[in-house]
């Protein structure tokens, strides 16, 4: 899947779905990070030290997976904003180029709507 296809797919998702995915990824990131990086004494007092030793690989995968989802979502959002700005800039250049090459009839019609201020030196001369 190309990056532009990923951005297009992401833009079609409802914002509620995106919020739910981000919320779940944040929760998994917090819990798995807390389990992996908590001091051993805290884990032993709660009774989780044995469980963490047995399932360390799964917890690490959950941590990295949720972090990857959050980073990818941030990059996709930033890319979507960048692409929108780029397209807006291209469209503005096209509109300005079109204004520079008006036919005489179009220029006469537009002249009725556009007032170009004349400098005083040009009025008196």
């Amino acid at each position: 899947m190309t990056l532009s296809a990923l951005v297009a797919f992401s833009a079609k998702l409802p914002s509620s779905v995106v919020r739910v995915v981000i919320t779940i990824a944040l929760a998994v990131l917090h819990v798995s990070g807390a389990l992996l990086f908590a001091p051993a004494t805290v884990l032993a007092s709660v009774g989780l030290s044995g469980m963490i030793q047995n399932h360390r690989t799964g917890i690490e995968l959950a941590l990295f997976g949720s972090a990857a989802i959050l980073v990818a979502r941030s990059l996709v959002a930033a890319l979507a904003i960048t692409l929108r700005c780029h397209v807006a800039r291209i469209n503005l250049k096209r509109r300005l180029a079109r204004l520079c090459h008006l036919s005489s009839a179009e220029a006469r019609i537009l002249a009725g709507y556009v007032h170009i201020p004349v400098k005083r030196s040009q009025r008196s001369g």
Side-chain angles (χ1 to χ4, degrees):
M1 179 180 270
T2 64
L3 197 55
S4 59
L6 181 65
V7 170
F9 174 74
S10 175
K12 292 178 185 175
L13 287 175
S15 61
S16 58
V17 171
V18 173
R19 277 192 220 117
V20 168
V21 169
I22 290 174
T23 303
I24 292 170
L26 279 172
V28 169
L29 184 74
H30 282 99
V31 170
S32 59
L35 289 174
L36 287 176
F37 299 115
T41 56
V42 172
L43 295 174
S45 66
V46 180
L48 293 175
S49 58
M51 189 271 308
I52 291 176
Q53 289 174 353
N54 293 338
H55 302 289
R56 187 168 195 83
T57 305
I59 295 170
E60 289 171 348
L61 286 175
L63 176 72
F64 291 127
S66 60
I69 288 172
L70 293 172
V71 169
R73 178 62 193 149
S74 301
L75 290 176
V76 165
L79 184 63
I81 291 170
T82 304
L83 287 176
R84 269 195 306 254
C85 291
H86 183 67
V87 167
R89 239 180 288 131
I90 289 172
N91 288 336
L92 178 63
K93 285 182 183 180
R94 287 180 182 161
R95 288 191 299 266
L96 288 174
R98 173 127 166 82
L99 276 175
C100 290
H101 301 290
L102 293 175
S103 68
S104 58
E106 291 171 331
R108 280 194 307 270
I109 292 170
L110 189 59
Y113 294 100
V114 177
H115 172 69
I116 301 172
V118 179
K119 294 181 182 175
R120 291 180 186 219
S121 62
Q122 291 176 346
R123 275 193 225 162
S124 61

